[in-house]
Every structure is written in C-alpha cells, then in structure tokens.
Amino acid sequence: MFSDGENRRDAWNRLSPFYEEIMASCDENIIIVSHGDLLSLWNAMYLGLPVESYYEVDIHGPAGGVSHMFIGDDGKWEIDSSQS
C-alpha cells in the first residue's frame, strides 16, 4: 500500500453509502464498473460479510471480466465470475 493511500476500512466506509443506495433501489439490472480492490469490497458487502472478512478471503473476478450478482432460486445471494 502507498503511504498516502486509502486503507480498506476507509474504502469500505466510503463505498458503504453508495452500496446501500444502490441496493435500496435495485429493482432492475445495474452495471457497476470499478477497479479490483474496491470491487472486492463490494462483493463482500453483497454477500453480507463484515469488512474484516477482506483480510481472510479473496473475492474477486477475472481482470477485465464481468460478474453477475443475483439471488438464486434457493434464496442464496450469488456471484458468478466465470469467463465466457
């Protein structure tokens, strides 16, 4: 990390209001474009994980890839980052 760079907790806190706003009004498809580290935090939020989980798990998609986030028929929140 750069000495003057944003740490993950700060990035999480900055992203959280945007995430809440999107999820509160999410009744259609939405496209989100981001760099990998911030998108990894988004994925953790989407799965309901706490910020501390970022230090224990690696949740990212392929570089330049597209991830599909959806609620499956069984009610599970899913992220599909498979490449086509």
Side-chain angles (χ1 to χ4, degrees):
M1 181 180 307
F2 298 104
S3 62
D4 61 345
E6 181 178 51
N7 65 42
R8 289 187 179 117
R9 170 68 73 178
D10 290 342
W12 181 281
N13 291 341
R14 182 170 55 89
L15 179 61
S16 188
F18 176 68
Y19 173 83
E20 295 298 330
E21 179 182 343
I22 293 296
M23 296 309 289
S25 63
C26 183
D27 48 344
E28 58 186 67
N29 293 332
I30 296 174
I31 297 173
I32 297 173
V33 178
S34 176
H35 61 82
D37 201 44
L38 201 58
L39 192 54
S40 294
L41 291 174
W42 176 280
N43 290 343
M45 287 179 183
Y46 178 79
L47 294 174
L49 301 174
V51 64
E52 292 80 14
S53 68
Y54 190 84
Y55 298 101
E56 300 169 4
V57 297
D58 189 15
I59 306 171
H60 65 276
V66 175
S67 296
H68 300 270
M69 300 172 182
F70 58 94
I71 300 173
D73 294 337
D74 57 2
K76 290 183 182 178
W77 291 54
E78 301 181 32
I79 299 174
D80 179 359
S81 295
S82 59
Q83 294 182 339
S84 37

